[in-house]
């Protein structure tokens, strides 16, 4: 019998990886991470906008430690090699197929108003999304503005002051409201803005600084993380014989005025807003817990926010409250947490999205995989 010659098997095709963006990898469109301005990392629920807390109704994630990894390209979770949850500009949410090397995304709760930046997303939500954390925003405070005619009159006479001090975004909003009148806005652009820019404009934090820049004023001291550090910075500058104008709220701490007074620096405070509980705080928190469960971490952004939300959080969390990592945006809020007998798992090194996200990531992942 004649022996049949067997044809050798063809070698397997070679695959060439050309990029990390999904192109050249043979991935279908649903496997690629989003592109464009509307593709935002982190599935944030803007409860203040009227959307129900919880948004994407999924089964609760498994609790566990997030794996560690070096920083990843935009659109990917920094803790793994798969994209984090996404939400496009129309609010449609979705997830990518999970990797076996990446555990489920943890849910964190931020008790603050949503503030969109130039990219159309809250910077805290975006930064946390880069670490594979799903953030939800729930506002706990509302504000009522006071004495705006008096503030408007003072802003019209920069020659009577040595400069301005802003320690909260709400004080800047009060100034913006004063400038909304057509006559005042025109005078501000023609002369007042330039006259105030010839003086010192002191601020606490980059968020407040960006709002002050929006009304056309140049700032200094924004790297100071709280009012006490800003007072030290002001005291280190050349003192002015004229008083500094300080728009503030009813709950302002007295440490800055006292430190300036002790150094002989004149200060003129004007109360322009008062803080009240947000009317939807209880309903929004209840909706979140019902749909999302107990969060892995809760961040407080002010002592007053803690005061108005703690009772609801304790009732909703029940016996699971010991599982929550409580985080403070700064030392003042951390002191308020400690005064309530709550363990402070993390205090952000500075009141910025990047510092807070890094602190929460370290808190939720004490041991790198």
């Amino acid at each position: 019998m004649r022996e049949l010659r067997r044809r050798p098997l063809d070698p397997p095709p070679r695959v060439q990886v050309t990029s990390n963006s999904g192109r050249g990898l043979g991935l279908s469109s649903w496997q690629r991470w989003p592109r464009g301005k509307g593709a935002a990392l982190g599935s944030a629920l803007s409860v203040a906008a009227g959307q129900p807390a919880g948004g994407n109704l999924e089964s609760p994630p498994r609790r566990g430690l997030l794996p560690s990894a070096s920083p990843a390209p935009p659109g990917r979770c920094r803790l793994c090699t798969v994209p984090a949850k996404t939400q496009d500009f129309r609010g449609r949410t979705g997830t990518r197929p999970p990797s076996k090397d990446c555990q489920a995304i943890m849910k964190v709760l931020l008790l603050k108003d949503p503030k969109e930046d130039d990219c159309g997303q809250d910077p805290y939500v975006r930064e946390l999304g880069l670490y594979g954390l799903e953030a939800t925003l729930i506002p706990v405070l509302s504000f009522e503005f006071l004495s705006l005619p008096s503030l408007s009159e003072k802003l019209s006479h920069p020659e009577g002051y040595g400069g301005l001090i802003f320690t909260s975004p709400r004080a800047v909003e009060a100034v913006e409201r004063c400038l909304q009148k057509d006559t005042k806005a025109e005078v501000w652009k023609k002369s007042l803005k330039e006259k105030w820019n010839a003086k010192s404009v002191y601020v606490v934090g980059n968020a407040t600084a960006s709002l002050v820049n929006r009304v056309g004023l140049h700032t200094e001291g924004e790297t100071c993380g709280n009012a006490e550090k800003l007072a030290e910075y002001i005291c280190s500058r050349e003192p002015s014989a004229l008083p500094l104008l300080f728009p503030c709220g009813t709950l302002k701490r007295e440490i800055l005025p006292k430190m300036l007074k002790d150094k002989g620096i004149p200060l003129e405070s004007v109360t322009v807003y008062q803080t009240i509980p947000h009317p939807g705080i209880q309903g929004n928190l209840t909706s979140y817990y019902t749909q999302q469960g107990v969060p892995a971490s809760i961040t407080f952004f002010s002592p007053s926010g803690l005061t108005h939300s703690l009772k609801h959080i304790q009732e909703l969390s029940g016996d699971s409250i010991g599982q929550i990592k409580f985080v403070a945006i700064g030392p003042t809020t951390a002191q308020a947490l400690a005064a309530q007998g709550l363990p402070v798992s993390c205090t952000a090194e500075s009141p910025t999205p990047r510092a807070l996200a890094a602190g929460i990531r370290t808190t939720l992942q004490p041991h790198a995989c």
Side-chain angles (χ1 to χ4, degrees):
M1 177 181 292
R2 191 165 118 196
E3 185 178 355
L4 297 176
R5 298 184 61 187
R6 299 194 179 185
R7 221 174 125 193
L9 296 175
D10 293 333
R14 300 179 64 182
V15 178
Q16 181 179 4
V17 178
T18 59
S19 73
N20 289 329
S21 64
R23 296 180 180 178
L25 299 179
L27 300 180
S28 59
S29 59
W30 66 270
Q31 289 174 304
R32 295 174 186 160
W33 13 101
R35 290 183 170 276
K37 183 177 179 180
L41 293 176
S43 175
L45 301 171
S46 185
V47 178
Q51 299 179 8
N56 202 4
L57 299 183
E58 302 176 333
S59 38
R62 294 183 293 108
R63 303 296 181 194
L65 300 179
L66 293 170
S68 175
S70 57
R76 290 193 180 190
C77 165
R78 283 179 180 163
L79 300 181
C80 60
T81 57
V82 297
K85 280 203 167 187
T86 61
Q87 180 182 32
D88 66 15
F89 68 99
R90 293 179 181 175
R92 297 175 300 190
T93 59
T95 56
R96 307 301 170 204
S99 166
K100 64 181 180 179
D101 297 325
C102 177
Q103 297 193 25
I105 296 175
M106 283 187 173
K107 299 178 187 293
V108 297
L109 184 57
L110 308 181
L111 301 182
K112 66 179 288 292
D113 288 332
K115 298 291 184 181
E116 291 186 357
D117 58 11
D118 295 337
C119 299
Q121 188 184 27
D122 186 277
Y124 285 92
V125 170
R126 183 177 58 253
E127 197 67 29
L128 286 162
L130 292 175
Y131 283 113
L133 301 171
E134 181 185 349
T136 300
L137 304 174
I138 294 182
V140 294
L141 299 175
S142 292
F143 304 91
E144 292 180 348
F145 290 92
L146 313 167
S147 307
L148 293 186
S150 175
L151 175 62
S152 181
E153 177 66 20
K154 295 177 187 299
L155 290 172
S156 300
H157 298 282
E159 68 278 1
Y161 300 95
L164 282 161
I165 298 178
F166 294 102
T167 59
S168 72
R170 222 58 57 186
V172 187
E173 186 177 343
V175 172
E176 288 180 318
R177 287 172 176 257
C178 291
L179 301 180
Q180 285 176 354
K181 296 181 179 179
D182 294 337
T183 54
K184 176 66 70 173
E186 191 66 25
V187 175
W188 179 264
K189 291 179 181 179
K190 287 184 176 180
S191 60
L192 291 180
K193 179 175 66 174
E194 183 179 354
K195 291 178 180 179
W196 279 111
N197 272 326
K199 304 173 183 295
S200 297
V201 181
Y202 302 104
V203 299
V204 170
N206 292 321
T208 303
S210 64
L211 294 177
V212 175
N213 296 152
R214 195 166 68 184
V215 299
L217 298 178
H218 309 309
T219 61
E220 57 182 299
E222 52 263 32
T223 56
C224 301
N226 53 52
E228 181 178 359
K229 291 182 179 179
L230 181 63
E232 294 174 355
Y233 177 83
I234 296 174
C235 291
S236 68
R237 313 293 289 175
E238 187 71 24
S240 170
L242 296 174
L244 298 173
L245 180 59
F246 180 31
C248 56
T250 54
L251 298 180
K252 79 175 187 304
R253 300 177 69 211
E254 294 300 324
I255 187 167
L256 185 145
K258 183 179 185 305
M259 290 179 66
L260 297 186
K261 181 180 179 180
D262 291 344
K263 291 292 184 179
I265 299 176
L267 181 72
E268 184 175 326
S269 300
V270 52
T271 302
V272 296
Y273 69 93
Q274 65 178 353
T275 305
I276 59 176
H278 191 280
I281 177 175
Q282 184 175 3
N284 290 334
L285 283 171
T286 300
S287 179
Y288 175 86
Y289 270 78
T290 300
Q291 299 184 40
Q292 302 283 3
V294 180
S297 172
I298 298 179
T299 300
F300 296 92
F301 286 76
S302 67
S304 54
L306 169 67
T307 300
H308 296 310
S309 63
L310 180 57
K311 177 183 177 181
H312 304 302
I313 290 173
Q314 290 173 327
E315 292 176 351
L316 292 167
S317 300
D319 295 337
S320 300
I321 195 167
Q323 303 173 10
I324 302 174
K325 302 294 185 182
F326 292 105
V327 178
I329 192 63
T332 303
T333 306
Q335 292 172 7
L337 275 166
Q340 293 288 347
L342 296 175
V344 183
S345 298
C346 168
T347 302
E349 291 187 0
S350 62
T352 61
R354 179 170 295 182
L356 179 66
I360 293 176
R361 190 279 303 264
T362 302
T363 299
L364 296 180
Q365 187 215 356
H367 305 292
C369 296

